[in-house]
Amino acid sequence: MIENTADTILSASGLSKSFGKTHAVVDASFDVRRGEIFVVMGLSGSGKSTLIRMLNGLVEPSDGTVTVAGTPITGMTPAKLRDVRRRNVSMVFQHFALLPHRTVIDNVAYGLEIQGIDKAERLERANTIIRLVGLDGRQNSLPSQLSGGMQQRVGLGRALASDTDVLLMDEAFSALDPLIRREMQEQLIELQHELGKTIIFITHDLNEAMFLGDRIAVMRDGRIVQIGTPEDILTDPANDYVAQFVQDVDRARVLTASSVMEPARSVVTVTAGPRAALRTMRDLQSSFIFVLERDRRFAGVVRDTDVMRQVKRGESDLRTIVRDETTMVTPDTLVVDLVELSVGSDLPIAVIDARERLLGVIPRVTLLAALGNVTTTTGEIAAIKPPPVTVSEMTETLLDPTLEGADL
C-alpha cells in the first residue's frame, strides 16, 4: 500500500507492463521519499529495468500511474515528457552514455545546456560537480582518455548537475571492477548526504542493495514481493524467496545496535541505594547493575563487590561507587563495529540516545547470536551461561537488616 505523505517525491501506483504475453511488471506500487536512496533489487528478468523506465516515461505502462513532484506523467505528450526529464528526473546508465567528442566539463554541463542555462553559469555549476565527484583537473579530458570508473563519475556528475528532483540509476556500477565499484558506492552515499538527492537505484547485487539502500524493493517475476529497510529484509523476510536471497549476506554490515539490543533489566536509579541494587542483582543473578539518573540518563555501572562493601559500612549513596567502564554506542552503530568493542569486557554494551538515555543493552552472547542468525532464547545458549553463585548467596545475608554488622 502506498503511503502518500508530504515527503513523497515520486509515486508508482498499480504499474504493470506487458510485452505480448510476457508480463514484465505486475501491479507495482510504492512511494519514494524525498532525500532517500530507494533500491529496486532483483535477478535478471525480474522486471526492474522495465520498472525504472516507466518512472521517467521511457516505457509507457500498460496500466497504472507514475507521479513525480505531484504531477502525473503517465500519458504525457513526448514534449512534456522531455521537459520532465530535463527538470524532474535524470538518469545514469550502466554504460555511461557519454558524448565521445565532448570534454568532461561539457559532458557534465550538457543537461544544463539543454535546460537553457547560460554558458558561464553552467560551466561554474559543472566545475562544482566535477570537484564533488573527484574529477578535478580532468575537465578538458575526452571520455576516451578516462578509465571506466572515471567515465562513470562523469555520467554521475552530468545527472547531478541537472539538479533534478529524482536521480535514476540503472545498474550504474555493474560494469565496473569490484574495487572501483565499492569506491563509487561509497562516493554515492557521501554525495547523497551532502546534496540530499533522491535516488532510485536498480541492482541485481544484494550486497550493493544492502549497502546503499535506505529502503529496498525486492522484485521477482515482475512483482514486488517485499519493501523494507535492509534490516527489515534481513531479519524478517516476507517469504522463502527473500529468505534465500539474504542467507549469505554479511549481517554484521547491515544490522545495527538498535536491531540486536535487548531491554535493560539489571537497572536501578541512582537514588535507589545499595540494598535495592543488591536485591535486583540477586533476583537477576547478575554481578553488576546499570545505574540511571532520575531522568533515565545513563550514569554508569556498579559491581556486586562494591555494593556489598557499601551495605557493610552502612553507606547509602550509590554515586560514590559508580564506575565509568561501560562501552556506550548509538542505535545506528553497525554490528561489525560492536564486535571489537565487546572484546575484553564482561559488561554488555549500553545503547544510548542523543540525550544519553539508556535504550537497551547488548550482551556478548546476544551479539554472537545476531551474527550467527540464532535466537538467544534457545535451550543450548541458555544452558552454557554459567550460573552466578556469589551474588545470590552473599546477598541473602547482606539484605537481612538484622545482620548488617556481620563480618564479611
Side-chain angles (χ1 to χ4, degrees), residues 145-196:
Q145 297 172 310
L146 304 177
S147 67
M150 288 180 176
Q151 290 182 43
Q152 191 59 296
R153 290 173 191 269
V154 177
L156 178 58
R158 181 176 59 193
L160 291 171
S162 298
D163 198 25
T164 55
D165 296 307
V166 180
L167 178 61
L168 305 179
M169 304 186 70
D170 186 13
E171 299 275 11
F173 303 150
S174 63
L176 305 175
D177 68 65
L179 289 178
I180 298 299
R181 184 173 187 170
R182 187 66 174 189
E183 288 178 9
M184 290 298 296
Q185 292 167 358
E186 292 171 349
Q187 183 163 48
L188 181 64
I189 289 177
E190 292 174 7
L191 288 169
Q192 195 267 348
H193 286 167
E194 185 170 347
L195 302 175

Side-chain angles (χ1 to χ4, degrees), residues 5 32 58 61 73 134 137 139 143 145 157 171 175 253-254 316 343 347 355:
T5 69
V32 178
L58 288 174
I73 69 168
Q139 281 87 339
Q145 297 172 310
E171 299 275 11
R253 299 186 182 277
V254 177
S316 60
V343 175
L347 296 173
R355 296 169 60 184

Side-chain angles (χ1 to χ4, degrees), residues 252-311:
R253 299 186 182 277
V254 177
L255 298 178
T256 60
S258 63
S259 65
V260 300
M261 69 182 184
E262 299 179 352
R265 298 175 60 211
S266 188
V267 174
V268 293
T269 61
V270 74
T271 57
R275 288 185 178 278
L278 272 177
R279 184 174 288 108
T280 301
M281 284 190 279
R282 178 196 64 188
D283 293 344
L284 297 176
Q285 296 189 339
S286 174
S287 61
F288 65 88
I289 195 165
F290 289 132
V291 181
L292 306 182
E293 301 289 354
R294 297 192 67 177
D295 60 0
R296 292 196 60 80
R297 282 186 301 111
F298 185 66
V301 66
V302 293
R303 300 279 190 173
D304 55 353
T305 51
D306 295 330
V307 178
M308 287 187 287
R309 290 191 189 99
Q310 268 203 326
V311 172

Side-chain angles (χ1 to χ4, degrees), residues 119-139:
K119 185 174 182 179
E121 182 180 347
R122 69 176 182 256
L123 291 181
E124 180 181 353
R125 285 167 61 176
N127 266 313
T128 299
I129 295 297
I130 286 170
R131 287 191 290 271
L132 284 175
V133 298
L135 288 176
D136 198 21
R138 305 305 296 263
Q139 281 87 339

Side-chain angles (χ1 to χ4, degrees), residues 26 41 216-228 233 237-239 241-242 245:
V26 182
M41 183 197 74
I216 300 170
V218 182
M219 292 192 73
R220 181 189 188 189
D221 297 333
R223 297 182 182 274
I224 294 177
V225 295
Q226 185 171 3
I227 297 177
I233 290 171
N239 53 34
Y241 177 78
V242 179
F245 236 127

